[in-house]
């Protein structure tokens, strides 16, 4: 898979920004014994024998290096589709999701009415992880998705967050299974039982979380809770210069007071009343996605916040925003980033993804892939942040 053709192995490794140390050392030793002749290099590239002592180790190393290239596939830009490519690269780096599609498990869960998008997504994931090309086209997936969301078929810039939500929703609808369960809602002094229909899919299993909004009437002090499901948390940015992700989280989860036109109708008072509202996490997803609200649009007033937001690569602690009972697995590590460079009316999207095999970070800019150090993952262009509470392993094709 992706074996070098006309390039030397050294140029190939450099061009792909991958240097596997054991293979590199073996390759240099191979050249020393063979005087670096072109025949020797070609023999090495084809995995053939030029040095008997290295025959087995070189074959194993080449197979292992091919394994390292899986998931490192560029996506062709179809005309202002950088937003699509960046999001797809991030989803392609989520090993549990990729393995679900590579294993073929999605086939048995497909809904007949709208299974085309999930099927196209599965083929694209297979091309990106098991294909033989450095770059593939997402044209089929875009065409199928465009039947439901025509805006994405146009050669105009779109918002990456909106595209991400549409893809997750579409995959969930295509793969969901429904079941009924009893649900208990609560309020101070009152309890209510009701039956709900639960719809689960690989998307809800990985990305779905739940918030609980505690709403307290400031007149009678009755508190009710309002649950809300989320797959992406949109976080306000409290500063125009610099802040941290924790600052954004504190701003989102701080208590707010609803007055004037935002008053709530209190069932106990029978009228609209001022209320205090505070959100808490009651179910944290395995993979949590944060949308940094950089685009500020109020009527005709539009601008992009260029705030430099500092976010951790590991040990993101969500326990301060969760009920004590739900604080297990509250530490998260960054696994992917969607970046937006430019301004509101124009710009360019790229992605940073941590590879599940090499554990290294890579920059994906449409068809171009570049290895980057950990220090380069932090930029002022971050727009979507993907965090996981579990370390990823390499996805496998077998069930």
């Amino acid at each position: 898979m992706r074996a070098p053709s006309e390039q030397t192995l050294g140029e190939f490794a450099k061009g792909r920004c991958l240097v596997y140390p054991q293979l590199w050392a073996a390759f240099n030793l191979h050249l020393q014994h063979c005087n670096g002749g072109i025949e020797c290099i070609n023999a090495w590239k084809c995995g053939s024998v030029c040095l008997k002592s290295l025959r087995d180790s070189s074959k194993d190393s080449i197979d292992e290096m091919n394994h390292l290239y899986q998931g490192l596939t560029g996506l062709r830009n179809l005309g202002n589709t950088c937003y699509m490519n960046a999001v797809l690269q991030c989803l392609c780096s989520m090993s549990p999701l990729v393995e679900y599609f590579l294993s073929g498990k999605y086939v048995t869960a497909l809904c007949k009415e709208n299974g085309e998008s999930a099927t196209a997504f599965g083929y694209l994931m297979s091309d990106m992880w098991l294909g033989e090309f450095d770059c593939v086209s997402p044209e089929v997936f875009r065409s199928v998705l465009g039947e439901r969301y025509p805006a994405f078929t146009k050669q105009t810039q779109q918002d990456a967050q909106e595209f991400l939500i549409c893809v997750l929703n579409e995959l969930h609808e295509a793969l969901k299974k429904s079941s009924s369960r009893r649900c208990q809602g609560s309020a101070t002094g009152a309890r209510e039982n009701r039956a709900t229909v639960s719809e689960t899919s690989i998307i809800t299993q990985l990305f779905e979380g739940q918030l609980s909004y505690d709403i307290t009437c400031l007149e009678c002090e009755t508190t009710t809770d309002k649950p809300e499901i989320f797959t992406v948390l949109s976080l306000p940015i409290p500063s125009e210069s610099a802040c941290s992700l924790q600052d954004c989280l504190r701003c989102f989860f701080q208590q707010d007071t609803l007055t004037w036109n935002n008053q709530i109708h209190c069932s106990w008072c029978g009228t609209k009343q001022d209320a205090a509202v505070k959100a808490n996490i009651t179910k944290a997803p395995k993979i949590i996605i944060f949308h940094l609200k950089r685009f500020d649009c109020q009527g005709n007033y539009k601008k992009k916040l260029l705030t430099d937001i500092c976010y951790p690569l590991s040990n993101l602690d969500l326990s301060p925003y969760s009920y004590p009972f739900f604080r297990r697995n509250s530490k998260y590590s960054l696994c992917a980033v969607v970046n937006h460079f430019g301004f509101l009316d124009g710009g360019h999207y790229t992605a940073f993804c941590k590879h599940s095999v090499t554990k290294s970070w890579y920059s994906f800019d449409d068809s171009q892939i570049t290895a980057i150090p950990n220090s380069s993952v932090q930029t002022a262009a971050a727009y979507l942040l993907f965090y996981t509470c579990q370390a990823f392993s390499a996805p496998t094709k077998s069930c």
Side-chain angles (χ1 to χ4, degrees), residues 272-287:
K272 285 189 174 183
Q273 298 288 352
D274 292 350
V277 180
K278 190 177 189 309
N280 288 282
I281 298 173
T282 54
K283 177 195 171 187
K286 295 178 181 178
I287 301 171

Side-chain angles (χ1 to χ4, degrees), residues 208-229:
E208 184 178 276
Q210 181 172 292
L211 299 175
S212 177
Y213 287 93
D214 292 338
I215 306 172
T216 303
C217 174
L218 297 182
E219 179 65 26
C220 68
E221 297 186 347
T222 298
T223 298
T224 59
D225 67 87
K226 178 185 177 184
E228 181 178 288
I229 299 297

